Every structure is written in structure tokens, then in C-alpha cells.
Amino acid sequence: QVQLVESGGGLVQAGGSLRLSCAASGTIFRINKMGWYRQGPGNQRELVADITGGGSTNYADSVKGRFTISRDNAKKTMYLQMVSLKPDDTAVYYCNAVVVDTKWQRGNYWGQGTQVTVSS
């Protein structure tokens, strides 16, 4: 089994910063693409940013220039550095990863989510 655990969420004032982490564990052979998604109140889950195993990144237009996604393959951990936060960034942030396990099975996994609240 594969587990993803997010951390780093919290309450911050507008203009502030937070750093989210997502740690993967379990029977992992390789982690392919990883990504951060978010779901705000009354909204559908949306892609925030993703990163390939080789480090290529992709961002939603709403966060370009403010959020930075990165990963440490040796630690099986992904990060999301968020600066200049806005109230519209308030959401539950979810970690996602495409993983090939030690039985060569490919699966799509989600973390449990971490709440980010930005006050005005």
C-alpha cells in the first residue's frame, strides 16, 4: 500500500506565506507525476500545480508567480511554497501522486488533505 500525508496547512493573514509538504510512504518503486489540488467551499477540486519525476512543472494561472512546487525524490516528498496568499486561496489542499509499486502496479493516490485558511 501507498500512503500520502500532507502537512503545513493553517491560518494565515492575506499576504502571508505557508509551505505545504506531502510525504509518500509504503511499497513504492517509483513516483511519477505528483501534484497539489485544492477544493474551496462550494467549489470543485482543481489543479494547483504538478511536477513530473524529472522536475517539469505546471501551474494554474491563478497561482503563477506566487506558488512554487518542488520535490525531493530521495525523501519521496513534495512541497508547495505559497507566498502572497489571498483569501481566494482558502481551501483544503490535497496531495496526489501516480505511483508504481513494488509489484509493478501503477496507481493514483490521494492524501487526506490539509486546510489552508487565508483571512482578509
Side-chain angles (χ1 to χ4, degrees), residues 62 66 68 95 106:
S62 60
R66 300 188 298 121
T68 303
C95 168
R106 184 176 181 269

Side-chain angles (χ1 to χ4, degrees), residues 83-104:
V83 302
S84 301
L85 282 161
K86 306 174 182 179
D88 284 350
D89 295 318
T90 294
V92 178
Y93 284 69
Y94 296 92
C95 168
N96 174 264
V98 177
V99 176
V100 177
D101 67 20
T102 53
K103 295 184 178 180
W104 298 91

Side-chain angles (χ1 to χ4, degrees), residues 43-110:
N43 296 332
Q44 291 187 334
R45 192 173 296 189
E46 63 176 2
L47 175 68
V48 176
D50 59 30
I51 183 167
T52 67
S56 297
T57 59
N58 173 54
Y59 294 92
D61 287 343
S62 60
V63 306
K64 282 181 180 176
R66 300 188 298 121
F67 291 10
T68 303
I69 190 171
S70 61
R71 62 191 283 175
D72 184 329
N73 290 329
K75 294 183 179 180
K76 298 184 179 64
T77 301
M78 174 179 63
Y79 306 96
L80 186 68
Q81 179 67 50
M82 305 184 292
V83 302
S84 301
L85 282 161
K86 306 174 182 179
D88 284 350
D89 295 318
T90 294
V92 178
Y93 284 69
Y94 296 92
C95 168
N96 174 264
V98 177
V99 176
V100 177
D101 67 20
T102 53
K103 295 184 178 180
W104 298 91
Q105 298 297 311
R106 184 176 181 269
N108 189 42
Y109 296 90
W110 292 90

Side-chain angles (χ1 to χ4, degrees), residues 1-6 21-28 31 34 75-78 95-97 99 101 107-112:
Q1 287 293 335
V2 174
Q3 297 83 37
L4 301 177
V5 178
E6 302 103 333
S21 298
C22 170
S25 63
T27 53
I28 297 170
I31 304 175
M34 301 183 79
K75 294 183 179 180
K76 298 184 179 64
T77 301
M78 174 179 63
C95 168
N96 174 264
V99 176
D101 67 20
N108 189 42
Y109 296 90
W110 292 90
Q112 81 287 351

